Amino acid sequence: MATLTYVYADSTAVLGPLATYAEPHCYDLCAEHSERLTAPRGWEVVRLAIDTSASRPSGDDLEALADAVREAARTPPQSDEPVEPAGRSVRDATSAMEVARRGHLRILRSPEQ
């Protein structure tokens, strides 16, 4: 996997290690497509060395993920739905399983409760 970035002012396409954060005009490519990449006529393709040993998550990556999950659990869920004072969504009264949402994640109530 690699990240493709265009530098329009220099007519250059840069193919390098997978980006660690999202940026406009950057595209992540699989290995097959990054190997076959070509640029428009008059453009230069710069291929930066890609460290394949870093493709697996490290202990730091897993710890950062766990910290993000803990932080999300501490933050009250935000939703566009109306919320009752008890923190339950109004839609909860009919669906009985979904308690709240945060982005694409859902907090579900156990069926026994």
Side-chain angles (χ1 to χ4, degrees):
M1 304 247 336
T3 296
L4 171 65
T5 306
Y6 292 104
V7 182
Y8 291 98
D10 297 332
S11 299
T12 304
V14 180
L15 192 63
L18 203 56
T20 57
Y21 56 92
E23 282 192 38
H25 309 293
C26 287
Y27 306 93
D28 293 337
L29 303 175
C30 68
E32 179 182 350
H33 286 101
S34 63
E35 290 170 9
R36 295 174 39 195
L37 176 79
T38 60
R41 185 175 296 150
W43 281 56
E44 180 183 2
V45 177
V46 176
R47 295 178 187 271
L48 303 175
I50 299 173
D51 182 12
T52 57
S53 66
S55 62
R56 300 205 51 156
S58 69
D60 290 341
D61 293 335
L62 297 175
E63 187 173 341
L65 179 60
D67 289 343
V69 170
R70 284 188 206 105
E71 180 64 30
R74 276 187 286 230
T75 307
Q78 297 175 355
S79 174
D80 293 357
E81 296 178 8
V83 177
E84 294 176 350
R88 296 182 341 142
S89 107
V90 172
R91 194 171 76 182
D92 234 13
T94 58
S95 69
M97 292 301 288
E98 186 175 318
V99 177
R101 278 188 182 198
R102 181 167 184 188
H104 68 282
L105 301 175
R106 295 178 182 173
I107 300 172
L108 300 178
R109 179 180 46 217
S110 173
E112 302 88 50
Q113 294 179 352

